[in-house]
Amino acid sequence: MNRNAKITIDCSRTSEHTINPYLFGHFVEDIRDHMEAMLAYPLKDMDFESESLTKREVSGSWTTYTNGKNTQYALEGPAPRHSGRGQRIRILSDDEAYAGIAQKAALKGPMDYTVKLVARASIELKYVLVQAVDRRTEELLGGARVDLSSHNWREYEARLSVARECADAELRIYVPADHPRWIDHVSTGMLWLDHASLLPMDSVAMVKREVIDMTRDLNAGMMRLAGNYISAYHWDHGVGPVLERPVMYNEAWGGWTSKYFGTDEFIRFCRELQVEPLICINDGSGTPEEAAQWVEYCNGGADTPMGALRAANGHPEPYGVRYWEIGNEVWGQWQVGTCSAEEFAKRTVPFIEAMKAVDPSLILSVCGHFDQAWNKTVLDIAGDRFEYLTLHLYHGYGPFGMNRETPADERYKAIAAFPEFTRHHVSKTEEHIRANAKHSHVKLAITEYNTMYYPNTIRKGLPDEHTLGAAVANAGNLNEMLRRSDMIHIGSFSDLVNGWLGGCIRVGDYYADQYRGKEAGWSGKPLAVYGTPTYEVMKLYANRDIRHMLQVDAECGTFSVEASKPTPVALDALPDLDVAACANEDGSVVTVFIVNRSLNEVKAELDLPGFDAAEETIVHEITGDHYENINSVFEPDRIVSASSAVPASEWRSGYTLRPASVYALEIKRR
């Protein structure tokens, strides 16, 4: 069924406020496989920290590699000042065997890798071999010899050239069978490993080159370091020589917190992308003094205690991190340090005082909530001391009383209603902000948002969070954030890479618990890096030349959502089209974002009275055959943004917008 619509844009008046580029920000968190997927290291368990998964005493992700009947394995203390554990391998001379450890890995190629080992050995052991082989064919893909020069712990580096890509490779570190034998007595044939890693030469700041390139294309504006794990994270454990950093258990998500992506690496990542960093501090198990030291580490001169530590770690110039956040979802029972609004507001005050005593220029965000009683309490107690109140807005069909038995079309329409809820929560929060001159200066930072098909932890079928329908919902949400860009200055899409609900960038064929029961590499394409439909939306919006908002009047059809329980917003007549219009700085380009969130084609007329438009309009379109379409390792480009030139006359007479699709029109002045 085709419906008609008319969109009128008043270009004669632009908004007084400008659109903050931080509105299109992103978010990194040490959550499930986020860091593992983002970082360039193909090996896991590089410091032998995990428990043995076999009867042999070999650290978690590693396996024994030996044909010796009597080769002995054990886990023991690491090298001095290092974390994790040491892997000990004892090879008996009489076996005349090869012996070492191995790990399955997906390797890029042709590619040079830096091999790093921390090792010690009996004096009779002169070298080890590091080899990459195809697990299926035993083809040698590349090898390096590492000469062992000390009975004491030493770091060794070598270059390993991998001849070709191999999705199912194995990395082996071992003493070969043809190594000269030794006399069989006490302390001979012993090899210890404390660290073993590969890093591809094309990595940037230890991050995958593909992830860097795709993130750069997002033009993010701001990158947030935060999440549930941060409330039990001690920043000083994540600075200094990487191998000497302690292993920290990730109290929020299980497993080990990545010691390879601490403060210095995050700042380098942001600078590589030319985005503003936003750091959330630990107010759950941390202290104001600890938070102040983190600020000083980032912003203090080399003559301050923490600034001197930063300089000693190789970064003499201050980082100048301006934006900081206090508290991540402190209202949630899953959060370390969860408490009442009153308790949180009171404990926020000494954090603010301590942090601003170090750097008075800080711009601070404080944990808010869509529960307005929380916001009112926090604002009343501490609202005069911070600049931003945060909201986390996750939208799914649980609040509608729906489940997987609900017809798919009804579930899609519920997700498409995302901006109605954003509008409601923003308006209610603004009422409390404006209610008292003490905190009327406060603005909003939506530091996490995404669609969230319920239930979100038991995956059945397709990963719904990454459908075209989810992208439509997220585009509508961005439209609402643009319309309220006078109040909303910061946005952080959750997550950047893999993770929980899923980053807009996907790495490999295993992430979160989307494919429980399937191991990484099940598809044969574990090296795939691609964007979800929402990645295409985020890239589309953030790369437009927009500075001011324009008034929009959209006359169109409506649809309704059949909720089975009460909702805070009316759902009986939702407009088919969600439209936001913007102008660039000098008003010479008008950009119109149109989301057809309906299940029907809409023939839309566009009128820009008073604007002398050129005869050609550039149209960017994100569409597909069905709202459940996804990108995957098998079809990474199924949903992408396509651009074309459309005569302005077509828009005057009516241009057909496909169902469940996103459009950006760029119209230049003649």
Side-chain angles (χ1 to χ4, degrees):
M1 182 173 65
N2 193 297
R3 303 191 186 189
N4 295 322
K6 184 172 182 179
I7 302 168
T8 304
I9 299 172
D10 182 358
C11 302
S12 63
R13 290 184 302 151
T14 60
S15 63
E16 293 183 3
H17 75 275
T18 58
I19 300 164
N20 195 317
Y22 302 157
L23 201 65
F24 305 110
H26 286 265
F27 168 40
V28 295
E29 176 182 3
D30 199 339
I31 174 174
R32 295 180 182 167
D33 66 335
H34 182 113
M35 293 299 179
E36 182 181 299
M38 186 173 83
L39 297 181
Y41 295 102
L43 297 178
K44 303 177 183 178
D45 204 7
M46 297 182 289
D47 301 292
F48 307 101
E49 65 265 32
S50 299
E51 298 300 322
S52 172
L53 300 180
T54 67
K55 293 181 180 179
R56 306 296 293 269
E57 286 301 315
V58 181
S59 187
S61 298
W62 297 90
T63 59
T64 61
Y65 179 67
T66 183
N67 63 344
K69 294 180 180 179
N70 302 296
T71 305
Q72 299 171 0
Y73 292 86
L75 291 167
E76 55 180 56
R81 299 188 307 277
H82 286 201
S83 63
R85 287 182 291 195
Q87 178 71 63
R88 189 180 79 225
I89 306 160
R90 186 175 189 187
I91 312 156
L92 300 189
S93 181
D94 288 349
D95 280 354
E96 297 183 358
Y98 61 82
I101 56 173
Q103 185 177 142
K104 184 171 68 172
L107 299 177
K108 299 196 295 186
M111 177 61 63
D112 286 348
Y113 286 82
T114 297
V115 177
K116 180 174 284 189
L117 302 179
V118 177
R120 62 184 292 252
S122 301
I123 61 173
E124 295 86 357
L125 292 186
K126 303 301 183 185
Y127 66 92
V128 295
L129 298 182
V130 180
Q131 292 181 341
V133 300
D134 187 317
R135 292 178 70 240
R136 299 177 187 274
T137 66
E138 284 293 312
E139 173 194 351
L140 180 64
L141 303 171
R145 171 173 162 150
V146 178
D147 291 319
L148 302 172
S149 59
S150 178
H151 180 257
N152 209 341
W153 289 108
R154 274 202 56 187
E155 289 188 21
Y156 299 91
E157 278 196 13
R159 177 170 292 195
L160 177 68
S161 296
V162 175
R164 63 170 177 82
E165 178 181 304
C166 185
D168 193 12
E170 185 170 81
L171 192 282
R172 298 168 179 170
I173 305 167
Y174 68 101
V175 176
D178 60 1
H179 186 290
R181 294 293 103 177
W182 47 91
I183 298 172
D184 199 6
H185 62 77
V186 176
S187 84
T188 57
M190 307 275 273
L191 172 67
W192 290 265
L193 297 169
D194 178 59
H195 169 86
S197 65
L198 290 180
L199 189 64
M201 293 291 192
D202 71 340
S203 63
V204 180
M206 294 194 292
V207 176
K208 288 182 173 71
R209 164 67 68 176
E210 299 86 349
V211 170
I212 287 285
D213 290 344
M214 290 190 69
T215 306
R216 186 177 287 114
D217 289 344
L218 283 171
N219 193 26
M222 176 174 277
M223 191 67 63
R224 175 179 182 251
L225 180 70
N228 288 354
Y229 89 104
I230 211 78
S231 293
Y233 177 78
H234 299 289
W235 70 269
D236 56 326
H237 292 184
V239 299
V242 171
L243 299 183
E244 297 183 13
R245 298 175 186 177
V247 170
M248 287 185 287
Y249 189 76
N250 190 325
E251 294 182 38
W253 300 109
W256 303 108
T257 294
S258 176
K259 68 180 186 180
Y260 291 88
F261 197 79
T263 302
D264 299 312
E265 290 76 23
F266 173 64
I267 297 299
R268 186 179 172 194
F269 180 61
C270 291
R271 289 185 171 175
E272 184 68 34
L273 299 169
Q274 297 183 318
V275 299
E276 188 80 22
L278 166 63
I279 295 177
C280 186
I281 58 95
N282 174 4
D283 83 312
S285 65
T287 64
E289 293 74 23
E290 183 180 21
Q293 288 176 339
W294 200 355
V295 173
E296 186 174 278
Y297 183 85
C298 289
N299 297 354
D303 57 345
T304 64
M306 294 300 105
L309 177 60
R310 183 195 64 244
N313 290 334
H315 311 281
E317 295 302 317
Y319 290 143
V321 179
R322 298 184 299 156
Y323 289 84
W324 296 77
E325 185 175 351
I326 300 173
N328 181 85
E329 298 179 3
V330 184
W331 33 264
Q333 292 301 315
W334 53 86
Q335 198 72 37
V336 172
T338 184
C339 61
S340 69
E342 183 176 359
E343 290 171 321
F344 170 70
K346 288 180 178 177
R347 86 177 183 209
T348 291
V349 173
F351 275 90
I352 294 173
E353 291 175 343
M355 293 167 71
K356 287 205 170 184
V358 174
D359 185 348
S361 69
L362 297 186
I363 300 170
L364 298 182
S365 302
V366 164
C367 175
H369 193 10
F370 49 79
D371 177 351
Q372 296 306 323
W374 174 282
N375 291 340
K376 184 178 187 306
T377 300
V378 171
L379 287 165
D380 286 348
I381 294 173
D384 58 333
R385 296 172 177 267
F386 57 83
E387 287 71 37
Y388 288 97
L389 190 68
T390 69
L391 291 177
H392 288 183
L393 301 178
Y394 289 104
H395 181 65
Y397 55 69
F400 299 85
M402 296 180 179
N403 56 40
R404 289 194 176 272
E405 304 306 313
T406 306
D409 283 359
E410 289 301 318
R411 286 185 277 127
Y412 164 75
K413 289 190 291 183
I415 291 299
F418 194 175
E420 317 301 325
F421 287 80
T422 298
R423 183 180 309 121
H424 169 77
H425 294 311
V426 169
S427 297
K428 292 298 182 183
T429 306
E430 185 181 16
E431 288 179 13
H432 290 297
I433 290 172
R434 304 291 192 203
N436 191 323
K438 167 185 173 180
H439 44 66
S440 61
H441 65 282
V442 171
K443 302 297 182 183
L444 291 178
I446 301 180
T447 51
E448 291 184 32
Y449 67 92
N450 200 343
T451 60
M452 193 170 139
Y453 281 68
Y454 177 87
N456 65 351
T457 53
I458 304 173
R459 310 299 186 184
K460 295 180 180 179
L462 293 177
D464 289 328
E465 288 82 7
H466 317 301
T467 59
L468 173 61
V472 166
N474 279 310
N477 191 60
L478 285 176
N479 279 358
E480 185 59 31
M481 289 165 66
L482 281 169
R483 283 189 288 266
R484 292 312 323 270
S485 53
D486 60 325
M487 175 61 64
I488 306 168
H489 291 183
I490 294 171
S492 302
F493 179 81
S494 170
D495 297 317
L496 179 65
V497 181
N498 288 24
W500 178 40
L501 293 178
C504 59
I505 297 172
R506 306 302 326 178
V507 173
D509 53 16
Y510 175 85
Y511 40 92
D513 51 0
Q514 294 280 7
Y515 293 108
R516 283 198 170 185
K518 292 185 177 181
E519 292 186 2
W522 64 270
S523 69
K525 299 179 181 291
L527 293 168
V529 181
Y530 61 95
T532 66
T534 293
Y535 172 85
E536 297 293 321
V537 166
M538 298 299 296
K539 183 171 68 171
L540 177 65
Y541 275 68
N543 284 286
R544 307 279 67 80
D545 183 11
I546 56 176
R547 289 288 287 165
H548 297 276
M549 297 303 298
L550 299 171
Q551 288 293 319
V552 175
D553 179 38
E555 301 173 15
C556 61
T558 62
F559 66 94
S560 62
V561 179
E562 300 297 328
S564 61
K565 67 180 186 181
T567 59
V569 297
L571 301 170
D572 54 344
L574 302 180
D576 288 343
L577 302 184
D578 188 318
V579 185
C582 315
N584 66 345
E585 188 60 52
D586 64 6
S588 62
V589 178
V590 171
T591 300
V592 186
F593 297 106
I594 306 174
V595 181
N596 181 10
R597 55 185 182 171
S598 78
L599 293 168
N600 303 286
E601 285 189 344
V602 175
K603 191 172 184 181
E605 297 178 30
L606 181 63
D607 187 19
L608 284 74
F611 186 79
D612 187 16
E615 281 304 311
E616 193 171 77
T617 299
I618 302 301
V619 177
H620 307 275
E621 180 184 46
I622 300 172
T623 188
D625 297 328
H626 194 272
Y627 56 77
E628 288 185 339
N629 287 168
I630 64 169
N631 292 339
S632 69
V633 290
F634 303 109
E635 294 182 281
D637 300 319
R638 187 176 187 184
I639 306 293
V640 296
S641 178
S643 302
S644 61
V646 177
S649 58
E650 284 196 36
W651 286 101
R652 289 193 290 270
S653 61
Y655 184 85
T656 300
L657 306 173
R658 299 186 67 188
S661 298
V662 179
Y663 297 84
L665 285 55
E666 292 181 293
I667 308 163
K668 294 183 179 180
R669 182 182 290 133
R670 192 190 304 270

